Amino acid sequence: MQLHESLEMDIRPTSAAHGFGPLLIGMAMNIVDVPMMAIAMPGIGGDLDLGTGPLTLIAGAYPLMVAMLLPAGRAGDRFGRRRVFLAGGALFLTGALLSALAPGPLPLAGARMLQGGGAAAVAPQALAMIPQLFPPVAQSGAFARLAMTGSFASVCGPLLAGALLAAAPDWLGWRAIFLAEAALALTVILMARGQPSPEEPSMGGGSRPIETASFAALILCLVAPLSFGPAFGWPAPVFLMWAAAVPCAALFVRLTLQVGPAALIPPALLREPGFRWSLVFLLLAVSAPPGFFMVLSLALQS
């Protein structure tokens, strides 16, 4: 037992020093995209001659996929967190490059969805790998540094985007922002591949793929209409998606009760008042600011 502890003491500081950098930059990459995109929106609208509807679709494509955080976290449990982290970085890089090359609103919205899928894969792995890299006494400090990095990125995002727009030639314009994001994603991938990081064996998890798929479908049916509705004038399929959320929710609840404590969302958690209040707080704290700052940025630039 003492030998095991001494080996852990020797190995973990080295792993933390080499492996924490990509996690910090990856989290900053995910968060800085939203304020940078807010600065880019007027240029996108003017360059591509877009109205409010298409701009709403482009703006909502990224958070639509970021909402898949929980299924992406389960993918890390099943396939290995470092592997999914690298895959998410590659997806974010691909989406950023395609966004920089997009000729119109629909290709741009599709590329933004790729970026959002990459962000959804990176964020939960960054959180989950901290206990692998740090001993228990140092984990709270690591989580604090990760949170500070996210806050710093949200503040610096508009400044960085404004500097890029000011420095970029006229023929490049807003596309310089996506090229900068692609360079950041490439940096994360190279750092994560070139530095050792502890890789846990696949744990599989108690939840089944159909449970994860039902939850992903539920989130998609709830969130997608908020992006597609304003962009396409609230067609009938938007309301059909909302209606489809009901059977998806019923299937997810049924599967959750069958799996029990090993479910994607353990039922025991929902019986804890602290957990329920935390969900309410997160809903209020996370849902309003991005939309507010997006509208504020557009208003100030106009």
Side-chain angles (χ1 to χ4, degrees):
M1 184 68 178
Q2 292 180 349
L3 178 61
H4 171 74
E5 290 177 353
S6 64
L7 288 174
E8 186 180 36
M9 292 285 291
D10 291 338
I11 293 172
R12 273 191 164 177
T14 303
S15 299
H18 288 284
F20 196 41
L23 305 187
L24 291 175
I25 300 177
M27 185 62 71
M29 175 187 73
N30 289 357
I31 295 176
V32 79
D33 175 270
V34 175
M36 290 180 72
M37 189 65 183
I39 301 299
M41 290 299 284
I44 294 174
D47 185 31
L48 301 180
D49 193 23
L50 303 179
T52 303
L55 288 177
T56 302
L57 178 64
I58 294 170
Y62 183 85
L64 171 62
M65 298 305 297
V66 172
M68 301 297 172
L69 284 171
L70 195 56
R74 179 59 74 181
D77 294 338
R78 182 173 295 274
F79 301 110
R81 296 185 181 113
R82 186 171 181 270
R83 187 177 296 112
V84 175
F85 181 87
L86 288 171
L91 197 60
F92 190 97
L93 170 62
T94 303
L97 291 175
L98 291 177
S99 296
L101 299 173
L106 291 182
L108 180 55
R112 293 288 294 157
M113 291 181 71
L114 286 180
Q115 276 189 278
V122 166
Q125 316 317 322
L127 293 170
M129 282 195 286
I130 286 180
Q132 298 175 247
L133 295 171
F134 294 91
V137 294
Q139 290 176 16
S140 60
F143 281 114
R145 290 195 294 274
L146 198 68
M148 289 176 59
T149 300
S151 300
F152 185 73
S154 64
V155 171
C156 292
L159 301 176
L160 178 59
L164 288 170
L165 289 178
D170 293 338
W171 59 268
L172 187 59
W174 55 270
R175 300 177 191 272
I177 292 178
F178 291 109
L179 292 177
E181 291 186 354
L184 192 59
L186 181 60
T187 301
V188 171
I189 294 172
L190 293 178
M191 289 181 64
R193 286 178 59 88
Q195 297 179 353
S197 176
E199 180 62 71
E200 78 290 349
S202 176
M203 292 179 290
S207 65
R208 293 165 290 182
I210 188 174
E211 182 189 359
T212 305
S214 64
F215 180 82
L218 171 61
I219 296 299
L220 184 66
C221 290
L222 289 175
V223 178
L226 299 178
S227 298
F228 298 149
F232 295 103
W234 298 100
V238 167
F239 298 97
L240 292 178
M241 290 188 71
W242 267 329
V246 177
C248 290
L251 176 61
F252 177 70
V253 170
R254 178 182 176 184
L255 294 173
T256 297
L257 295 177
Q258 290 177 354
V259 176
L264 190 64
I265 302 178
L269 276 179
L270 299 177
R271 292 194 288 268
E272 292 291 336
F275 181 75
R276 294 198 300 268
W277 281 112
S278 297
L279 291 180
V280 173
F281 173 78
L282 286 174
L283 176 65
L284 296 176
V286 176
S287 61
F292 170 78
F293 286 116
M294 176 71 75
V295 174
L296 178 63
S297 175
L298 293 175
L300 291 177
Q301 291 182 75
S302 297

